[in-house]
Amino acid sequence: MIKINKKVENIAPSGIREFFDLVIGMEGVISLGVGEPDFTTPWNICEYSIFSLEKGYTSYTSNKGLLELRVEISEFLNNSYGLQYNPDKEILITSGVSQGLDLVIRALIEPGDKVLIPTPSYVSYQPLTELAGGIPVLLNTKSDKEFKFTSTQLEKICKREKNIKAFIFNYPSNPTGVSYNEEELKSIAKIVEKYNIVVISDEIYDRLSYKFKHVPFPFIKNMKDRTVYLNGFSKAYAMTGWRVGYACGPEKVISAMTKIHQYNMLCAPIMSQLAAVEALKHSKSSVEYMVKEYTKRKNFLVKRFNEMGLKCQEPYGSFYLYPDISGSYNNSVDFAKDLVKEQKVAVIPGIAFGGIEGDKFVRVSYASNLKKLKEATNRIQKFLSSIS
Amino acid sequence: MDEILELLEQNAKMTPEDIAKVTDKKVDRIKKAIKKYEEAGVIVRYKTVINKDLLKSDSEEIRALIEVNVVPQKNKGFDYLAEKIYRFPEVVSCYLLSGTYDLLLTVCGKDIHTISNFVAEKLAPMEGVSGTVTHILLKKYKEDGDILEQVERDKRIAITY
C-alpha cells in the first residue's frame, strides 16, 4: 500500500475546493475571483520570446538564471528603489515568487523553527512552512485596524514566542490590499532587528501601490542583510503563465537557495527568462497603462461596494478589495455560494485566507475590465436586494 | 490629457456619473468640463466604432487609400488644396505627410466605381494635383487602436488565489 508523507497528508485540504468546483463548472459566470491580470502579456515581450525560440534558445540556463536577466534586475532595482544587489551572487531567478518562497523557506527553516505569518495571508505561506517542518505563528490583523499589524502587536508576539526565526511579510497584500509606508516599515525593522528575525518579503504587487510610493523592505536601514526579497513578473507585466520571478538576498542565503533550486527546478525556462529581459528593458509604458486601468477599476469598485452597503476600505495596493459581508451573512462560503448560484458572480470566501475575521469578508479581484465590473456589481446589488 | 477626455475617448457612452466613479472628481465638475470641451470643439463628436465585417448586410462599402502629389499654391501652401479635396464627402480622412507624396486620403464609396469616378473625375483633374496612386483596402486588422477581431474569450481559470 502506498503511504503518503505525513507532512503532506497533514496539509489541510482547501475548505473551499467544493466552491471552486462549483464556479468552474458553471457557464456565464463573471469572476471576480481571479488572482491574475486580465491583460495578456504585452506584445513586445511575447514577440521577443517567440523570436528567441526561432533563434533556437531552447536550452537550460545556469542554475542562477541568465546573467543578462540578473544584471537587468539589479539595474532595475537600483534605478527604481536604490536597492543594490550583486547580479553574480545575490540574485537567483526562480519560477515565480511561489517557487522562490518555497526555496527560501526550505533553505532557512529546520523542524521546529517558528515562522511568523500575518493573517489574512496568501494561501501558500502556512503549508510551505509546515512542509519544511516549521511552525507557523499567526499574527492576526483586524478589520478595525485596516488589517494592518502594528509594531506593538509585532513586538508582543515576538516577545511571547521568543525565538521566531523568520517573518513572511507580504505588502501590498493579497488578499486585503493593505500596504505599509516607509515610517511603518522602519518601526517593523526595529523589532525584527531586536529579535533577530529573517524577513522573507513577498513584494510581488509592488508596482500596484496607489497611496504612496512603494518602499522595499531591504531598503530600510540595516534590513538588507536580514531580508530575502521576492518579486517577479506575473502581476506587473501580466506574465503569470511564464512562471518567472527572482529572489534577492545575502549571498549565503541565495547560494543555499540555489542548491535546492538546481535539484528541483534546475533553472527557470529560458524563453521566460528572455521574455523577462525584454519586460525590464522595454515595457515601462505597458506597466504604467495597466496600473492606470487598475486605479480606475479600484475607484469604481470601492465606490460601488460602499454604496451597496458592503463596506470596504480603500486598498493601498494590489488588485483586490476585501469587503465586509457580515451585514448579510455570517459565513463567507455561504455568501460566495449563494451569490454565484443566484447571480453568477464569483468572489473568494475570506475564510480561504485565514485570519480571525475571515468569515466576515470576501476577496474581490478587479483584474477584469470596467464593463464586466459594472455588470458584476449590478448583479451583486440584485443579490443583496433579494436577500434583504 | 485630462482624465475625463481619456475616458470618453475610450468609451463615449460613459456618463458623468460613471466617470465620477472611476476618478476622484465630482459629477458637477465633470459635467462642466465636458460642456467646456464641447463648446471649445475639443470634443468634436461622439462616435461608435463598428466592425462592419461582422455585419451580414448588403450595405457594404469599399475604402481606398489614395496618395496625392500636389503643387502647393503660392501664398496658400498645402492647406488650400487640402481643403478643396477634403470637402468632398467621399474623403473620410486627409493627412499632410512628409515623404514621397504629400496628402494621404481615405476615400469611401459603395463600390469600386464610386472610388474610380471620384479619382478620375474629381481628384486627378483638379488644378494643383500632379499625381495620384490609389490603393484599395482589402482587409482591416486594426483601426485606431482597436483590433477588429471577434472578441476573445478569457483564457484564465475562473477562480485562483
Side-chain angles (χ1 to χ4, degrees):
Chain A
M1 199 49 201
I2 298 172
K3 267 195 169 175
I4 301 297
N5 173 340
K6 279 222 167 50
K7 275 191 218 149
V8 177
E9 258 191 346
N10 287 342
I11 290 178
S14 168
I16 61 166
R17 190 70 258 168
E18 192 198 338
F19 170 69
F20 272 36
D21 292 341
L22 177 74
V23 174
I24 289 165
M26 212 180 252
E27 281 290 315
V29 173
I30 299 184
S31 183
L32 307 183
V34 188
E36 61 176 320
D38 55 315
F39 302 104
T40 49
T41 306
W43 180 247
N44 63 307
I45 299 173
C46 298
E47 198 273 336
Y48 190 81
S49 182
I50 294 166
F51 181 68
S52 72
L53 288 173
E54 285 172 351
K55 283 276 167 199
Y57 285 99
T58 55
S59 61
Y60 294 132
T61 69
S62 73
N63 296 133
K64 277 189 177 162
L66 292 170
L67 181 62
E68 187 189 2
L69 177 56
R70 284 179 279 140
V71 169
E72 282 299 329
I73 290 167
S74 172
E75 281 175 11
F76 171 77
L77 291 175
N78 193 9
N79 295 337
S80 314
Y81 298 123
L83 267 181
Q84 290 179 347
Y85 283 106
N86 179 333
D88 268 334
K89 297 171 181 159
E90 297 176 323
I91 300 177
L92 169 66
I93 307 302
T94 62
S95 254
V97 168
S98 291
Q99 193 224 356
L101 192 71
D102 186 35
L103 291 176
V104 62
I105 291 174
R106 285 206 270 165
L108 297 175
I109 301 305
E110 294 187 57
D113 280 346
K114 290 177 183 171
V115 178
L116 186 62
I117 302 169
T119 68
S121 74
Y122 182 63
V123 293
S124 77
Y125 301 159
Q126 286 187 57
L128 289 180
T129 301
E130 285 162 359
L131 280 174
I135 302 166
V137 175
L138 304 181
L139 170 54
N140 295 312
T141 64
K142 289 184 189 160
S143 58
D144 59 1
K145 296 276 187 293
E146 297 190 300
F147 290 106
K148 276 186 175 183
F149 60 85
T150 59
S151 47
T152 326
Q153 204 185 348
L154 179 65
E155 168 124 44
K156 207 167 143 193
I157 204 162
C158 293
K159 211 171 191 176
R160 188 189 75 203
E161 297 292 332
K162 289 185 185 70
N163 50 351
I164 288 170
K165 173 140 189 195
F167 171 35
I168 305 181
F169 190 18
N170 165 226
Y171 69 100
S173 150
N174 175 6
T176 63
V178 301
S179 196
Y180 296 80
N181 64 30
E182 194 168 354
E183 285 312 303
E184 291 166 323
L185 295 175
K186 279 181 185 163
S187 49
I188 293 166
K190 274 186 199 144
I191 297 158
V192 295
E193 194 170 17
K194 182 172 166 190
Y195 291 90
N196 193 24
I197 295 168
V198 181
V199 178
I200 300 168
S201 201
D202 173 356
E203 302 184 26
I204 187 73
Y205 292 99
D206 66 336
R207 308 286 280 278
L208 300 171
S209 177
Y210 309 111
K211 289 194 182 179
F212 41 75
K213 190 178 181 319
H214 181 88
V215 178
F217 200 72
F219 183 76
I220 304 295
K221 197 177 163 205
N222 298 338
M223 287 302 109
K224 197 175 156 225
D225 291 344
R226 61 170 65 250
T227 302
V228 179
Y229 173 81
L230 301 175
N231 210 329
F233 298 86
S234 295
K235 314 294 174 173
Y237 300 93
M239 288 177 69
T240 47
W242 301 79
R243 306 314 306 129
V244 59
Y246 52 93
C248 305
E251 185 183 352
K252 195 170 154 188
V253 187
I254 292 298
S255 131
M257 288 166 72
T258 310
K259 266 192 199 169
I260 307 168
H261 179 71
Q262 70 180 328
Y263 296 125
N264 81 350
M265 186 76 205
L266 218 149
C267 64
I270 187 170
M271 52 294 271
S272 301
Q273 292 193 50
L274 287 166
V277 169
E278 172 66 14
L280 287 172
K281 274 185 171 167
H282 299 124
S283 307
K284 203 174 162 211
S285 60
S286 301
V287 176
E288 283 166 1
Y289 168 76
M290 291 189 271
V291 172
K292 215 167 165 183
E293 284 300 306
Y294 290 130
T295 310
K296 282 187 232 166
R297 298 162 177 193
K298 173 207 66 155
N299 292 342
F300 173 78
L301 274 192
V302 171
K303 281 178 197 159
R304 281 295 279 139
F305 272 87
N306 284 313
E307 245 173 46
M308 291 191 284
L310 295 180
K311 211 175 72 192
C312 66
Q313 66 186 46
E314 179 93 28
Y316 289 75
S318 76
F319 42 60
Y320 307 109
L321 288 193
Y322 203 59
D324 184 343
I325 49 111
S326 64
S328 49
Y329 274 76
N330 53 16
N331 177 311
S332 61
V333 178
D334 286 349
F335 176 91
K337 267 188 190 166
D338 288 353
L339 175 61
V340 81
K341 280 184 196 159
E342 300 289 324
Q343 289 294 337
K344 295 194 168 183
V345 175
V347 295
I348 298 197
I351 196 77
F353 303 97
I356 45 176
E357 293 176 283
D359 249 341
K360 289 174 154 182
F361 293 85
V362 292
R363 191 195 74 177
V364 172
S365 155
Y366 42 96
S368 283
N369 65 38
L370 268 175
K371 198 174 153 196
K372 279 192 187 163
L373 294 180
K374 206 168 175 179
E375 172 62 20
T377 48
N378 290 344
R379 291 189 193 183
I380 295 173
Q381 186 148 35
K382 272 188 208 154
F383 171 71
L384 292 172
S385 317
S386 74
I387 57 169
S388 62
Chain B
M1 192 159 73
D2 184 346
E3 212 178 354
I4 298 173
L5 291 175
E6 276 180 20
L7 289 164
L8 285 174
E9 193 179 28
Q10 263 180 32
N11 179 5
K13 273 178 89 178
M14 277 189 109
T15 63
E17 287 74 15
D18 292 335
I19 295 171
K21 281 210 172 71
V22 301
T23 61
D24 299 328
K25 298 179 166 64
K26 294 268 184 294
V27 176
D28 279 354
R29 263 196 57 205
I30 297 166
K31 280 184 182 165
K32 269 186 201 150
I34 292 175
K35 197 163 172 241
K36 198 184 81 194
Y37 287 131
E38 285 172 346
E39 283 168 3
V42 174
I43 294 178
V44 180
R45 68 190 170 102
Y46 300 89
K47 68 178 259 186
T48 305
V49 179
I50 295 172
N51 185 355
K52 291 183 182 159
D53 288 349
L54 297 181
L55 287 175
K56 297 277 179 283
S57 70
D58 47 16
S59 64
E60 280 174 20
E61 57 167 32
I62 183 164
R63 276 181 184 235
L65 297 180
I66 304 179
E67 300 167 8
V68 186
N69 269 308
V70 298
V71 183
Q73 308 284 297
K74 190 164 186 188
N75 297 331
K76 292 173 184 162
F78 287 103
D79 295 353
Y80 172 73
L81 260 174
E83 184 174 353
K84 274 181 81 174
I85 294 170
Y86 70 62
R87 289 242 171 227
F88 283 103
E90 293 91 334
V91 177
V92 294
S93 69
C94 175
Y95 308 102
L96 175 66
L97 307 177
S98 63
T100 52
Y101 55 94
D102 303 310
L103 299 175
L104 178 66
L105 315 179
T106 310
V107 171
C108 188
K110 68 177 181 358
D111 53 32
I112 195 153
H113 302 295
T114 326
I115 307 262
S116 64
N117 285 346
F118 170 75
V119 176
E121 290 170 21
K122 310 283 185 208
L123 185 63
M126 190 183 285
E127 196 180 339
V129 170
S130 57
T132 65
V133 179
T134 302
H135 306 270
I136 299 294
L137 197 147
L138 302 178
K139 185 173 179 180
K140 278 196 234 174
Y141 293 101
K142 188 177 183 183
E143 194 166 67
D144 283 339
D146 295 307
I147 293 172
L148 304 171
E149 272 182 357
Q150 296 259 14
V151 179
E152 279 187 36
R153 277 191 55 163
D154 198 337
K155 295 181 181 70
R156 299 176 297 170
I157 299 171
I159 194 155
T160 49
Y161 293 115

